[in-house]
Amino acid sequence: MKRLALALAFCAGLASAAETRPPQAGVGPGGSEAALPRSARPKIALVLSGGGARGFAHVGVLRALQEMHVPVDIVVGTSMGSVIGGAWAAGASLQDLERMAASTDWDSVVADRPARDELHFRRRDEDIQIPSRIEFGLTLKGVQGPPAAAGNAALEMALQKLLPRGTRDLPVSQLPLPFRSVASDLLTGELVVLDNTPLFQTIRASLAVPGVFAPVRIKDRLVVDGGLVRNLPVDMARAMGADIVIAVNVGTPLAPEKELGSALGVANQMLQILTEQNVQRSLSELHQDDILIAPDLGGVTFLDFSTWKQAMAAGEAAARALAPRLAALALPEPDYAGRESLRLAAPLDPDRPVTLARVQVQGTREVNPAVLARQSGLEPGQPTTREQVRQAAVALYGRGDLARVETDIDDVDEERTVTIRATEAEWTRSRMRVGLELASDFRDANNFAIKVMHVRAALNSWGGELRTEGRLGNERGLGMQWWQPLGPGAKWFVMPAAQVGKTSGDIFEKELRRERLSYNARAASFALGRQFGNWGEFSVGVSRQAYTIRPLIPQDPAAGVRRVYDTKSFARFRVDTLDSLAFPTRGTLLTLGREQTPGSGKGVGTATTNWGATALQAFHIADWAGHVSLEWARAQVGASPVTLGGFLRLSGTPTDSIQDPTILLGRLVLARRIASLPSGLGGTMRAGFSLETGGGFDRGVTASGRALKQAGSAFLSVETRFGPLFLGAGATRQGEETLYLFLGPVW
């Protein structure tokens, strides 16, 4: 409620400032200025309103204007209209705009988190351990959560990909087309005209929606989205000399009474009222010869960026409906083509490589600057492009503990100095993640767990971190892991770890339950490893385990407690480039592992070797996301440490009921996007199915088509803050059927 009150007070201040501002001279409802002589072509301004995801309709309007050869002399925009308009004025093509809409991970942008495949490998591993997004910091000041509004980094990286090369730092007055944008002063509520600022700062400031994205400081003024003061800045276009205005209004309409049943709904309606009031004033400033385009955007909400295709189609349809009026403004094809070639011309400053003389890092307090310089991947003495500097910022932001990463480039005498300004996110230095796991087949397999993970980062000048994990439920355990690079930002690391745990499990033979055992375990390990960029890791090491095994079912008072001690050496290679764990649309997950027990130790008579491999490739087709995967494991003695049975692991088969020396599983999963939750609650909802085949085999038995078991499932899923939630039904070709409720990791 405090946040709601602040938002309403802010909006009221803006509204008050707007109402007390004197009206524009010579402008009134239905007013008209003296017409230009018809011998001169009128100067045409394109005014694009704000509207969040609804602003993708502007791209459709631009497509229609381009195909009708309607020239644009001036571009003015607010919020999303500033993004689309600024990129267009700078020379972006329609294909560039569509690519930005399609390829940007908007859920990550709104949540201020990079796409998962841009995260540091350690951060991706945390997602696998606990896929929850419930995180907070533990500081001397108490519990500190992530910012209420998304920070700058994820949004800024998406915008930088959109702008044509060489235009990021150009003042808007030097663009191929004159461009202006508006913002609001957060402290005074005054309108701020962004008329001589660099293009990137201009569109970033105009898009700083209060409560969604963090404010931006420009020329000592803290500014936010200009939509609440001037969402359709027709008057600015007039001030720039426009004779005819083509205004595109994509603002969110007021909600009906039935949608105002909550405090959030009423608050949102109040914001829309304030915005709509200034839009109506702007509409009254339109002249008789001006053209208003108002796309029908029913079903497209402010933050539903997945509907970009629908929004673009609506914008194009609305513009084509006004073709007779727009045709009167069209140019002959050769004249229009000449104007377009000038707009699309390459910038004067191409991104050519320049020898990197120095990399310097500023702004850090806890993190060693040498660590960031090393992890940036920028090597002094090597030719370096501006794009490589941008990618360095992306890599550093993927660490997860930086709120903002900015880069400055200074070229002098064919030598380049790069300054990295990093702002640390204080809450991430000592952070806690809380996860929840639920699994039920509505029969005998019902599991529950609360999981917590604490990470203490930047423990020393080389970037060491301590990870502590706890689990309570069907399995109980506590573990600690120290990850220590062997130098500032080094790729080589050592990783000692220790854990204790207690669980119980059923022993199956030929898929029939024979007994239930209780396990108490203690283990310690030491690993030496090397990371490969942010995509992979190789490690070797040794571990020592101690188990206490007690029979639970059947109960036998004469049965004793068995104690097992063993030492294992291991080697493991992992690749993880998935963009999501719930339903990845791109990337690869690969794990290759080998464990060897030498056979010396109490309870272990002979040497054993276990092998395991998992390969998963994600893909997408339109609104469908899917993956194909193959899993294999083999134990030289005893059962494989990998089991089959349960959801997506031969669905319909009793959970963990296939326990054999060799395990093989192949799987195809496809799911179609059907809806989305609000970004604060979760993400995409999907409906899908799986096709699975696999089985367990004794030693010396090879897998064949007859031996493999066929299974499949149909499910509904939704990405929640605690991870992916599934409700599904699975069945095997042999007639086994099971329902599933599943929350948590799925691989």
Side-chain angles (χ1 to χ4, degrees):
M1 295 303 296
K2 179 180 179 181
R3 187 176 160 197
L4 174 61
L6 290 174
L8 295 179
F10 164 73
C11 296
L14 294 184
S16 175
E19 293 293 346
T20 57
R21 194 174 294 110
Q24 299 292 318
V27 177
S32 177
E33 294 178 346
L36 290 177
R38 286 302 170 188
S39 59
R41 184 179 72 80
K43 184 176 291 187
I44 301 171
L46 181 65
V47 179
L48 306 177
S49 80
R54 296 164 64 91
F56 286 129
H58 296 318
V59 181
V61 171
L62 287 169
R63 177 176 294 281
L65 295 180
Q66 188 178 67
E67 292 182 1
M68 286 186 275
H69 299 158
V70 176
V72 173
D73 303 291
I74 299 169
V75 182
V76 181
T78 299
S79 195
M80 196 62 166
S82 175
V83 174
I84 302 299
W88 181 262
S93 66
L94 286 170
Q95 292 73 21
D96 293 332
L97 297 173
E98 291 174 353
R99 190 181 305 114
M100 178 270 292
S103 63
T104 300
D105 186 343
W106 290 104
D107 290 338
S108 295
V109 168
V110 174
D112 192 36
R113 184 186 182 185
R116 186 175 179 274
D117 50 1
E118 293 179 352
L119 289 173
H120 189 277
F121 193 82
R122 291 280 296 176
R123 306 290 81 79
R124 299 184 203 183
D125 186 59
E126 291 174 11
D127 282 350
I128 291 177
Q129 301 303 319
I130 302 182
S132 169
R133 291 298 309 279
I134 308 299
E135 289 187 301
F136 52 88
L138 300 177
T139 69
L140 295 177
K141 301 177 182 178
V143 176
Q144 182 178 357
N152 297 339
L155 173 64
E156 292 178 357
M157 290 172 188
L159 296 180
Q160 288 186 87
K161 294 178 183 178
L162 171 64
L163 299 182
R165 181 178 297 176
T167 64
R168 180 189 189 279
D169 299 318
L170 276 180
V172 294
S173 58
Q174 298 179 21
L175 298 179
L177 291 179
F179 171 69
R180 294 292 185 276
S181 183
V182 296
S184 305
D185 191 307
L186 183 59
L187 303 180
T188 67
E190 295 178 350
L191 178 71
V192 179
V193 178
L194 304 173
D195 55 358
N196 198 34
T197 53
L199 174 61
F200 179 79
Q201 286 189 353
T202 298
I203 62 176
R204 173 61 187 91
S206 186
L207 195 58
V209 181
V212 180
F213 298 120
V216 180
R217 189 171 299 279
I218 293 182
K219 297 180 180 179
D220 296 327
R221 304 184 74 171
L222 195 62
V223 301
V224 294
D225 182 2
L228 295 175
V229 177
R230 195 79 86 252
N231 203 45
L232 190 67
V234 172
D235 56 341
M236 185 177 297
R238 297 275 184 231
M240 295 176 67
D243 302 310
I244 292 179
V245 171
I246 300 175
V248 186
N249 183 24
V250 298
T252 305
L254 298 178
E257 182 178 354
K258 63 181 181 180
E259 298 180 11
L260 303 179
S262 66
L264 182 62
V266 172
N268 185 65
Q269 184 81 333
M270 296 178 67
L271 299 179
Q272 296 305 329
I273 289 173
L274 295 173
T275 303
E276 186 63 19
Q277 287 177 345
N278 77 68
V279 168
Q280 290 301 319
R281 287 195 298 272
S282 295
L283 292 177
S284 70
E285 298 168 356
L286 292 176
H287 298 172
Q288 184 175 356
D289 293 336
D290 296 334
I291 298 175
L292 173 64
I293 301 176
D296 181 3
L297 293 168
V300 181
T301 59
F302 185 84
L303 289 177
D304 189 4
F305 291 96
S306 66
T307 57
W308 60 271
K309 286 185 180 179
Q310 179 182 343
M312 289 182 188
E316 184 174 355
R320 293 191 184 283
L322 296 170
R325 294 192 63 190
L326 291 170
L329 304 175
L331 292 177
E333 196 281 333
D335 294 346
Y336 185 83
R339 290 175 55 87
E340 274 293 275
S341 65
L342 291 175
R343 185 183 69 83
L344 297 170
L348 298 178
D349 181 22
D351 189 14
R352 61 185 182 85
V354 177
T355 300
L356 183 62
R358 185 170 57 147
V359 178
Q360 54 188 18
V361 178
Q362 299 176 352
T364 61
R365 292 181 296 175
E366 297 291 329
V367 179
N368 183 359
V371 171
L372 298 184
R374 180 77 177 272
Q375 291 182 342
S376 71
L378 300 175
E379 296 289 344
Q382 297 297 317
T384 305
T385 64
R386 293 177 181 270
E387 174 62 19
Q388 288 175 312
V389 175
R390 189 190 70 80
Q391 289 296 335
V394 172
L396 292 179
Y397 183 62
R399 286 169 47 95
D401 59 354
L402 300 177
R404 186 170 183 171
V405 180
E406 299 174 290
T407 57
D408 288 334
I409 298 175
D410 186 20
D411 294 341
V412 178
D413 296 331
E414 294 301 312
E415 287 190 337
R416 173 162 290 173
T417 297
V418 173
T419 301
I420 299 173
R421 295 198 306 276
T423 303
E424 297 174 7
E426 292 187 7
W427 74 274
T428 65
R429 195 169 305 129
S430 174
R431 53 191 169 82
M432 182 79 74
R433 180 181 294 196
V434 179
L436 180 66
E437 290 184 14
L438 297 172
S440 175
D441 63 2
F442 298 94
R443 292 183 180 177
D444 297 328
N446 299 281
N447 296 310
F448 165 79
I450 297 176
K451 301 176 69 176
V452 295
M453 175 190 297
H454 177 264
V455 178
R456 178 63 173 91
L459 284 173
N460 51 49
S461 61
W462 287 4
E465 68 177 38
L466 179 65
R467 180 193 293 179
T468 305
E469 297 182 54
R471 182 184 182 105
L472 181 64
N474 294 79
E475 297 180 20
R476 286 82 69 197
L478 179 66
M480 300 184 70
Q481 179 191 91
W482 180 287
W483 183 77
Q484 180 60 60
L486 298 179
K491 297 177 181 179
W492 288 93
F493 63 87
V494 293
M495 188 170 63
Q499 52 271 336
V500 296
K502 184 175 182 179
T503 187
S504 61
D506 294 337
I507 303 301
F508 287 81
E509 183 177 341
K510 303 302 181 184
E511 299 186 33
L512 297 177
R513 187 179 287 107
R514 297 301 185 188
E515 60 179 326
R516 178 170 297 171
L517 302 177
S518 170
Y519 301 89
N520 283 356
R522 304 184 304 278
S525 64
F526 182 87
L528 170 68
R530 187 187 192 279
Q531 290 191 335
F532 301 94
N534 65 351
W535 57 267
E537 177 184 280
F538 175 74
S539 61
V540 295
V542 61
S543 64
R544 175 73 174 173
Q545 295 91 22
Y547 302 96
T548 301
I549 304 174
R550 185 190 309 273
L552 298 178
I553 301 175
Q555 293 183 345
D556 183 0
V561 175
R562 187 158 58 103
R563 292 179 172 82
V564 178
Y565 305 88
D566 66 359
T567 301
K568 294 180 181 180
S569 61
F570 60 85
R572 187 178 302 116
F573 177 65
R574 296 190 295 158
V575 174
D576 183 358
T577 61
L578 297 180
D579 64 334
S580 168
L581 286 182
F583 277 100
T585 61
R586 62 179 182 271
T588 301
L589 184 67
L590 175 67
T591 301
L592 303 174
R594 179 182 184 273
E595 290 184 349
Q596 185 172 21
T597 302
S600 60
K602 186 177 179 181
V604 180
T606 60
T608 63
T609 302
N610 296 339
W611 292 88
T614 301
L616 182 150
Q617 180 61 49
F619 62 91
H620 72 279
I621 305 172
D623 289 334
W624 290 83
H627 71 259
V628 291
S629 66
L630 182 65
E631 186 172 346
W632 169 81
R634 183 175 69 87
Q636 187 176 5
V637 175
S640 164
V642 176
T643 63
L644 292 180
F647 184 54
L648 298 182
R649 302 186 63 78
L650 296 182
S651 301
T653 305
T655 302
D656 296 330
S657 63
I658 299 179
Q659 302 174 356
D660 290 284
T662 299
I663 294 295
L664 183 65
L665 174 67
R667 178 175 62 207
L668 167 67
V669 178
L670 275 174
R672 188 178 189 276
R673 184 186 188 113
I674 57 176
S676 294
L677 290 178
S679 59
L681 299 178
T684 304
M685 298 180 65
R686 295 185 184 271
F689 66 91
S690 69
L691 300 175
E692 308 152 40
T693 184
F697 309 95
D698 289 328
R699 293 175 188 85
V701 177
T702 59
S704 65
R706 289 187 177 182
L708 295 176
K709 195 172 188 177
Q710 286 79 45
S713 70
F715 54 81
L716 294 173
S717 78
V718 60
E719 297 178 34
T720 74
R721 299 293 290 178
F722 282 103
L725 173 66
F726 294 85
L727 178 62
T732 68
R733 194 170 184 178
Q734 289 74 22
E736 300 167 294
E737 298 179 351
T738 309
L739 296 176
Y740 292 104
L741 175 66
F742 200 97
L743 172 65
V746 296
W747 313 134

